[in-house]
Structure formats: structure tokens, C-alpha cells
Amino acid sequence: MLPDLPAFLLVAAAAAVACRFAGYVAMRWLPPSHRLDAALRATPLAVMAGITAMALAVGGMTEALALTLAGVVALVTRNDVGAAVAGVAFGAVLRAFGL
């Protein structure tokens, strides 16, 4: 374990909690609008795009194949959670076979 790992985890957890509470606080003062609604709907997609882009940049063929499968499953089934589970499972199988 890295010596800085507990500090990193603590900072990441604090940032996650702060972001969660900031949403509730902001919604108290921001008037509802179509632009705000669109921004709130786009946030999960932006987060997932950032995560997958980082995985593709750092990873190799295994990550690319797993993300491709997850994308195909998401398009075919329209089930994001199922697609994520399928991608992770496929990546684990590929890693188990040494790819």
C-alpha cells in the first residue's frame, strides 16, 4: 500500500461528499430552467465519458475490447448497468486468459 493512499482516499471521499451537497445547496438558489435541466441530465454521461477516456488512454487492448463490448451492449439493450457489468466481466475474463 502506498503511504499516501489513505490521504488520497480521504480527499476523494471529501470531494465526493462536497459535490453531492453542493448540488442540493445550488438547487435551493437556482431557478429551474431548461438549461439547468439539460445540464443535470448530461452530468452522468460526462462523468462516464471521462472515466472511459482515462481507461482507454492508460489501458491497452483489454480495456478497449471491454469498453467496446459495454458500448454495444448499452446500444442493444438500453441498459447502462447491464452494459457496465458485461464490460467489467468481459475485461475480467480477458485478464484471466492473460490478455
Side-chain angles (χ1 to χ4, degrees):
M1 184 159 91
L2 298 172
D4 294 332
L5 184 61
F8 291 145
L9 291 176
L10 184 63
V11 169
V17 169
C19 288
R20 179 70 82 163
F21 284 126
Y24 291 118
V25 170
M27 293 306 296
R28 180 173 173 93
W29 287 288
L30 293 175
S33 68
H34 294 294
R35 181 175 285 182
L36 179 62
D37 187 48
L40 291 174
R41 289 182 189 273
T43 300
L45 179 61
V47 170
M48 288 304 295
I51 292 169
T52 56
M54 191 167 40
L56 281 174
V58 174
M61 181 61 74
T62 301
E63 288 79 7
L65 291 172
L67 287 170
T68 301
L69 176 75
V72 170
V73 170
L75 287 173
V76 171
T77 65
R78 300 284 186 214
N79 184 346
D80 297 339
V81 174
V85 170
V88 169
F90 186 61
V93 168
L94 289 176
R95 291 278 182 209
F97 285 111
L99 186 63

